[in-house]
Amino acid sequence: MSVIGKNTPRIDGPAKVSGKQKYASDIIIPGMMYAVTLRSPYPHAEIVSIDTSEAEAMGAVCLTYEDINPVLYNERSVSVPAATYRDRTVLPKKARHVGEPIAAVAADTEELAYKAMKTLKVEYKVLDPVFDPVEAMKDGAPQLYDKIYLGDEEVTIKNNIGVVRKIDEGDCDAGFAKADRIFEEDFELPRIYHCQLETKGCVAAPDSEGGITVWATAQSIHGNRHIIARVLGLPLSKVNVKKVTLGGGFGSSIQVNTVTPICAALAMKARRPVKLLSAREEDFYSHHKYPAQFHVKIGVTNDGVITAAHVKALIDFGSHQIQPMAFMGCVAGWFASLYKYEGNIRFDGTAVYTNKTPCCAMQGYGNPQVNFAIESMVDVICNEMGFDPIQFRLANYRGTGEEFWGQGPTIRSIIKSCGVEESLIEGAKLMPEWATRNEPKDMNAEILTGVGLARGFHCSGTAGPKEGEVIDYSSAMVKVNEDGSIDCVSPVMDHGGGTWDALAKILTEVFKVPLSMVCLSPADTKNTGYDVCTHATRGVYCGGAAVYNAAVKCRDRLLEFAGRAMDEHPSHLEISPDEERGQGYIHVKGFPAKGRTIGEVAKLAQINSWGTAMYAESFRQKNCPPCFTTHFVKVAVNTRTGEITIPKVVIYGDCGVAMNPELLHGQLIGSFNRGLGYVLYENLPHDYDTGKLKNNGLLVDYKMPTAVEMPTAENVIARHANTYEPTGPFGAKGIGEAALASVQAAIANAIYNATGIRFTKLPITPEIMLKALQEHGLAHK
Amino acid sequence: MSKHDITLNVNGKKYELTVESNELLLNVLRERLYLTGSKYGCGIAECGACTILKDDESYFACMVPAVAADGWNITTVEGLADGDKLNPVQQAFIDNSAIQCGFCVPGMVVTSTALLRENPDPDEDFVKDYLRGNFCRCTGYVAMVKSVLDAAGKMKEAK
């Protein structure tokens, strides 16, 4: 009867296929106004004045920097305040990238709002912009900021350097001295766009008691509440953020999206509900994945031991900080946790302000970036020194018993479950082409094929035994109803991967009830305790653990009632599934004959006035276990066109116990699709004359893989390792972000295997591939 | 802007509306008829999240002025099911775990429904090519393609 580890139809499936599932933009309130934003046409300009009189005469309500609390904040609030840089206000006095919102207008219709917005007279003092991160660090370059804050401490910004982060452990110099070979290489990854299908939106409705209710695109309802309350100057109890379905996030709503406090402030000013939905073109200018430049140095002995590694990183994070400090700490942690390096690691990171869209997390928070560099380097090492890539990895990787950095240097725990060996060994069997990849082939062929391997991971949550820079806990309320059905109120958001189904399954397992007897209640910030955010692949592992712990305590209460009803000591009782009654069944351990259903016990407790079996608490995990992935990818390179296709992929995931294997495989496959875009197509170059994106924010000029670019269904092979995470709810850890980590290097390594050409810069578009083939004399005539 | 009286037949129900000449069908469906299943994803016919049916043919509702839809017989995602009984494509999306965030799903199931009306016996390449106008950033499409083939098989069996 247990549904954990089984494929069950997702609970929200019927609502999602019939258009009934509600996302933020689907909220409609009588009397609601529609809002639009005015966005800066300049990459760098002081805003001298904004004249709103004409718009107001048209009946519009306007919001400028003069109307909104100029509180300095960072929209990403998952780090502790002392480790959080604050450099922005909701609406700025100075625009620092094209597309930055500088005013907003609400009116009875969207059209009227737009027309009114067009009448705003903005006087700008245009400033010189800077786009290139190296240029930005030079003396005399235009300066984006003079002063910002780290926590409450004032920080002076010089040469646009936002953050410098250095981490040094062990003895790198000694490690390199011990190495027989030193490998060094530069890597570069582009700025790309999340392209979650739902553009950022918000509906906000003031209430008659001076408070406000908000429906927003969010990965954290509590994160939104905290910032909205600060901006509006309201007590937290006056701000209620409702949990609505998220139409894809990939990290772009860990932070409170800029449109959200704008919408809330407009609604408060108008004293009416307001809807503000970003146009796709605006969304394109709102959040990007961090680009990265790395210099990697790795030392290896002749017997295949990595003795030291040094990563230098340059991060062009754009016009304000959505925590590049935390980002660089994570980059260091992912790199440090991939291999043992005999404990000798060094990281030097510099993050620089430029007049571009601010960068934020996007599935992996630096993991796909640095994994591409390290796993490409491992391929170089194996090829040059003649090591078997699987054996080399097995000899050097960090596995069970080793330390893993879950979220930068301050959050670490010991690995307790690990599917790396199984994934590498079994994965290779599922890709027989791996064994024959180095056999001689006709390099004059029109299509060159090759196979590549890479492995990666991500954390499950950001909790270690000791609290660190990042906040991590969750909350839950669980209640057994008087018929044996279960209610649960949880603040945890679901990106769509199936987190909510996993929470429901955890409840079924504790109470031994069928899935149909469990219901996640509508939740908001008023009726739930704090949950930091669904980020860092923590939904099931941390949010699920909070549900598990509340459920167990609720069950204890229920067993106490059952003890009274059955004249037994509660410690002698247990719950078994009773399929006939479709209920959990409480009985003396080992004696199922005498018992009562949980519904009967809950009803008895109610009519006897014993009370309700319910429990609410917050809960913090104390580990951040890695979930591992391995990719074996086969590529075909067309030497006439430079086009790269993927005939086959084997993806191995290790998420501990899989709550729902098909949904797990869906995440692995979806991530492969996004990785395909990252490696082969996606890039967001800016026009350095105007500061605009070269695609002008148009989806039509941003190429992502579609159904057509994926291998045939039978050649997308997704599997999961057979592991059990002892600290997770029913053995589960995460998978979401891990699923992308190793895609990039696996494809690039396969291209090397096919052509002998090593790419250290992404994307590898057909034009770039063809040019490289021509340079290597491999292009087909 | 001028106002126009139009009639829309949506999911078997007749609506008489006065619309502005520049009002988009998508906005009329969502904000005036409260049929919010059809989604805004790009506004330029690139992502397919707003796909609806006019008779058996799929259209991007974000590109159709409402006034041009006067007299149309429209099915939105809300109208695909027969009461609580989902259509074969909708059911197949659930059965094949083809849903993640779900924001693209209304457009996907509407487009897939049109696909099967056009070609009840498609192969994998046909399905992939047909769905290339519908973006999904979550699933990687494989389970969606399987769903359409599964629905085609089930519909054939049912005949």
Side-chain angles (χ1 to χ4, degrees):
Chain A
M1 181 157 150
S2 170
V3 289
I4 287 178
K6 298 215 172 79
N7 292 319
T8 45
R10 61 183 300 148
I11 297 164
D12 58 16
K16 283 184 172 173
V17 295
S18 53
K20 290 173 186 156
Q21 193 82 358
K22 293 284 179 231
Y23 302 79
S25 58
D26 298 333
I27 303 299
I28 295 168
I29 298 173
M32 184 172 81
M33 301 173 90
Y34 292 82
V36 297
T37 51
L38 173 66
R39 291 173 179 253
S40 174
Y42 302 110
H44 203 188
E46 271 174 38
I47 295 147
V48 180
S49 65
I50 303 177
D51 179 359
T52 58
S53 53
E54 203 175 319
E56 277 156 1
M58 293 165 74
V61 177
C62 302
L63 194 78
T64 72
Y65 61 88
E66 288 184 327
D67 303 297
I68 191 161
N69 195 348
V71 57
L72 271 183
Y73 71 105
N74 188 314
E75 58 265 61
R76 180 181 164 106
S77 58
V78 302
S79 296
V80 297
T84 300
Y85 282 95
R86 297 183 291 127
D87 66 14
R88 68 164 301 171
T89 56
V90 176
L91 293 173
K93 264 292 277 172
K94 178 166 129 166
R96 294 180 176 89
H97 72 91
V98 170
E100 181 165 17
I102 54 175
V105 177
D108 286 341
T109 65
E110 196 177 0
E111 188 192 357
L112 183 59
Y114 186 79
K115 281 181 174 163
M117 184 266 281
K118 285 294 193 192
T119 70
L120 297 184
K121 290 180 186 68
V122 185
E123 192 186 332
Y124 294 99
K125 184 184 165 201
V126 178
L127 304 169
D128 286 336
V130 62
F131 302 111
D132 180 85
V134 176
E135 290 297 314
M137 287 190 288
K138 288 182 179 162
D139 287 339
Q143 297 292 299
L144 274 75
Y145 293 86
D146 299 322
K147 276 185 308 193
I148 62 168
Y149 286 84
L150 173 61
D152 292 327
E153 190 187 319
E154 196 177 282
V155 178
T156 304
I157 297 296
K158 283 193 187 128
N159 294 19
N160 294 309
I161 296 171
V163 190
V164 172
R165 192 149 195 179
K166 291 178 187 292
I167 295 163
D168 205 331
E169 301 218 343
D171 187 340
C172 256
D173 296 332
F176 284 123
K178 197 178 152 191
D180 296 307
R181 293 277 304 271
I182 305 274
F183 293 85
E184 286 194 70
E185 196 65 68
D186 291 314
F187 294 89
E188 191 175 341
L189 295 100
R191 177 180 278 264
I192 66 169
Y193 169 59
H194 302 75
C195 207
Q196 76 296 341
L197 254 279
E198 177 192 30
T199 61
K200 305 306 176 192
C202 180
V203 174
D207 61 38
S208 51
E209 291 154 23
I212 190 165
T213 305
V214 174
W215 296 258
T217 316
Q219 290 178 224
S220 165
I221 53 174
H222 286 278
N224 273 265
R225 182 195 217 191
H226 287 188
I227 283 174
I228 293 164
R230 258 176 83 196
V231 168
L232 299 181
L234 289 173
L236 286 168
S237 60
K238 293 267 188 216
V239 177
N240 197 17
V241 180
K242 297 274 191 182
K243 183 162 133 177
V244 281
T245 313
L246 179 63
F250 312 111
S252 59
S253 287
I254 294 173
Q255 68 270 23
V256 175
N257 300 118
T258 308
V259 291
T260 303
I262 292 175
C263 182
L266 263 176
M268 289 306 271
K269 186 174 178 190
R271 306 301 309 154
R272 281 174 63 184
V274 172
K275 176 184 278 192
L276 173 53
L277 177 63
S278 306
R280 177 61 68 186
E281 294 81 350
E282 295 170 335
D283 206 79
F284 252 105
Y285 277 102
S286 299
H287 46 85
H288 296 160
K289 186 180 187 114
Y290 284 101
Q293 296 176 43
F294 297 119
H295 180 81
V296 179
K297 181 179 171 186
I298 296 184
V300 190
T301 64
N302 284 335
D303 48 2
V305 177
I306 306 178
T307 55
H310 182 184
V311 171
K312 289 183 197 168
L314 177 63
I315 309 297
D316 162 17
F317 65 81
S319 65
H320 75 259
Q321 302 206 23
I322 311 179
Q323 287 293 71
M325 178 170 83
F327 172 84
M328 289 198 296
C330 283
V331 169
W334 313 136
F335 133 63
S337 301
L338 262 172
Y339 294 101
K340 288 181 276 207
Y341 314 105
E342 297 196 326
N344 304 316
I345 57 134
R346 190 177 288 155
F347 176 81
D348 290 300
T350 305
V352 185
Y353 281 113
T354 57
N355 290 109
K356 295 176 186 163
T357 293
C359 294
C360 65
M362 180 176 169
Q363 196 182 12
Y365 211 38
N367 205 338
Q369 290 94 323
V370 79
N371 183 287
F372 170 65
I374 301 293
E375 284 294 276
S376 294
M377 286 295 272
V378 166
D379 204 56
V380 170
I381 291 166
C382 290
N383 280 311
E384 292 219 4
M385 296 183 75
F387 299 132
D388 176 79
I390 292 177
Q391 292 309 321
F392 182 81
R393 285 175 169 88
L394 288 176
N396 284 285
Y397 84 102
R398 285 200 188 195
T400 308
E402 308 278 348
E403 191 178 63
F404 179 79
W405 302 22
Q407 198 78 180
T410 66
I411 291 162
R412 311 182 185 198
S413 69
I414 301 298
I415 301 170
K416 299 177 181 72
S417 64
C418 175
V420 173
E421 188 172 345
E422 180 186 342
S423 303
L424 285 167
I425 305 285
E426 298 303 315
K429 289 181 193 162
L430 291 166
M431 180 71 87
E433 297 91 328
W434 171 254
T436 57
R437 72 193 183 284
N438 290 331
E439 284 178 6
K441 60 186 164 200
D442 176 13
M443 292 306 284
N444 292 316
E446 185 174 346
I447 306 289
L448 294 174
T449 61
V451 188
L453 157 68
R455 57 168 285 267
F457 53 54
H458 204 71
C459 57
S460 310
T462 66
K466 278 193 284 189
E467 295 81 5
E469 279 172 14
V470 187
I471 300 162
D472 197 312
Y473 70 95
S474 189
S475 308
M477 191 280 278
V478 177
K479 169 164 67 82
V480 181
N481 294 315
E482 291 78 6
D483 59 356
S485 60
I486 314 290
D487 283 327
C488 173
V489 195
S490 161
V492 172
M493 294 298 299
D494 185 348
H495 291 228
T499 309
W500 289 343
D501 277 42
L503 302 187
K505 287 189 170 190
I506 287 165
L507 292 162
T508 67
E509 195 67 15
V510 173
F511 294 101
K512 309 294 181 191
V513 294
L515 205 46
S516 58
M517 292 290 273
V518 170
C519 205
L520 292 191
S521 308
D524 57 45
T525 51
K526 277 181 184 281
N527 68 12
T528 59
Y530 182 80
D531 172 77
V532 61
C533 186
T534 299
H535 78 128
T537 306
R538 67 181 289 284
V540 173
Y541 180 74
C542 298
V547 167
Y548 172 78
N549 279 275
V552 164
K553 287 179 175 151
C554 176
R555 182 183 63 190
D556 289 347
R557 188 96 206 272
L558 185 73
L559 292 179
E560 193 188 307
F561 294 151
R564 278 197 235 178
M566 295 158 66
D567 214 12
E568 293 285 352
H569 194 277
S571 66
H572 295 163
L573 300 175
E574 66 178 351
I575 310 182
S576 296
D578 183 333
E579 307 211 13
E580 214 171 287
R581 294 183 182 86
Q583 282 252 357
Y585 184 73
I586 304 174
H587 58 87
V588 173
K589 284 177 187 168
F591 294 94
K594 181 192 168 193
R596 306 249 178 143
T597 66
I598 63 172
E600 286 165 357
V601 172
K603 185 69 187 168
L604 264 180
Q606 181 238 329
I607 60 180
N608 287 322
S609 300
W610 297 341
T612 299
M614 61 188 292
Y615 201 86
E617 73 160 6
S618 62
F619 179 82
R620 177 176 182 275
Q621 281 285 25
K622 289 175 187 63
N623 287 275
C624 46
C627 31
F628 294 100
T629 45
T630 299
H631 287 88
F632 288 88
V633 180
K634 184 175 179 183
V635 300
V637 179
N638 186 320
T639 59
R640 201 184 287 277
T641 63
E643 193 189 4
I644 299 159
T645 53
I646 311 287
K648 184 176 172 184
V649 58
V650 173
I651 315 168
Y652 240 99
D654 164 25
C655 65
V657 171
M659 287 284 166
N660 185 326
E662 274 188 8
L663 289 181
L664 161 70
H665 296 169
Q667 288 200 61
L668 296 173
I669 294 166
S671 298
F672 182 74
N673 178 270
R674 290 188 293 282
L676 202 60
Y678 195 15
V679 182
L680 300 182
Y681 313 112
E682 293 176 43
N683 192 8
L684 266 181
H686 285 70
D687 180 326
Y688 279 10
D689 291 326
T690 62
K692 290 182 181 167
L693 291 172
K694 285 192 174 172
N695 80 336
N696 287 305
L698 295 170
L699 199 54
V700 68
D701 289 324
Y702 186 76
K703 290 300 170 205
M704 293 176 293
T706 67
V708 176
E709 284 74 29
M710 289 295 279
T712 56
E714 67 169 342
N715 285 313
V716 180
I717 300 167
R719 295 283 188 276
H720 56 282
N722 181 26
T723 60
Y724 186 94
E725 171 55 41
T727 66
F730 298 111
K733 42 188 181 177
I735 196 65
E737 291 171 272
L740 181 67
S742 42
V743 177
Q744 292 66 226
I747 295 176
N749 292 345
I751 293 170
Y752 177 82
N753 181 243
T755 63
I757 302 171
R758 172 69 57 190
F759 287 92
T760 57
K761 184 178 174 182
L762 302 182
I764 312 162
T765 60
E767 294 82 359
I768 291 166
M769 186 73 241
L770 188 59
K771 191 159 174 272
L773 288 165
Q774 285 160 350
E775 284 166 6
H776 286 74
L778 292 169
H780 212 81
K781 275 130 208 131
Chain B
M1 288 300 151
S2 51
K3 290 186 189 299
H4 303 265
D5 293 330
I6 63 164
T7 304
L8 299 178
N9 297 297
V10 187
N11 302 333
K13 202 168 157 188
K14 191 168 156 187
Y15 296 90
E16 284 170 357
L17 300 159
T18 303
V19 297
E20 300 276 354
S21 55
N22 66 345
E23 246 182 298
L24 293 171
L25 179 59
L26 177 64
N27 292 357
V28 169
L29 291 172
R30 285 180 54 82
E31 305 290 330
R32 294 181 62 181
L33 306 187
Y34 307 135
L35 294 167
T36 56
S38 309
K39 303 299 183 202
Y40 166 85
C42 70
I44 54 169
E46 196 54 27
C47 78
C50 66
T51 308
I52 53 147
L53 297 180
K54 177 201 176 198
D55 302 316
D56 290 336
E57 222 179 321
S58 65
Y59 277 79
F60 296 132
C62 76
M63 297 299 285
V64 180
V67 65
D70 186 18
W72 281 20
N73 189 25
I74 292 168
T75 307
T76 69
V77 65
E78 290 93 341
L80 290 181
D82 180 8
D84 283 341
K85 190 173 163 35
L86 301 173
N87 90 1
V89 171
Q90 292 173 306
Q91 190 58 50
F93 266 63
I94 297 173
D95 295 343
N96 290 278
S97 297
I99 305 156
Q100 289 189 28
C101 88
F103 203 79
C104 73
V105 166
M108 282 285 181
V109 296
V110 170
T111 303
S112 302
T113 300
L115 180 161
L116 291 177
R117 287 181 189 175
E118 188 182 316
N119 178 1
D121 194 16
D123 62 15
E124 185 172 348
D125 279 345
F126 185 90
V127 175
K128 285 167 104 174
D129 198 54
Y130 205 100
L131 293 183
R132 75 188 312 167
N134 287 70
F135 276 131
C136 168
R137 193 63 154 166
C138 294
T139 67
Y141 303 97
V142 172
M144 292 177 163
V145 173
K146 279 186 190 166
S147 301
V148 179
L149 294 171
D150 179 27
K154 297 244 165 76
M155 287 163 77
K156 222 159 54 173
E157 273 171 35
K159 268 186 188 166

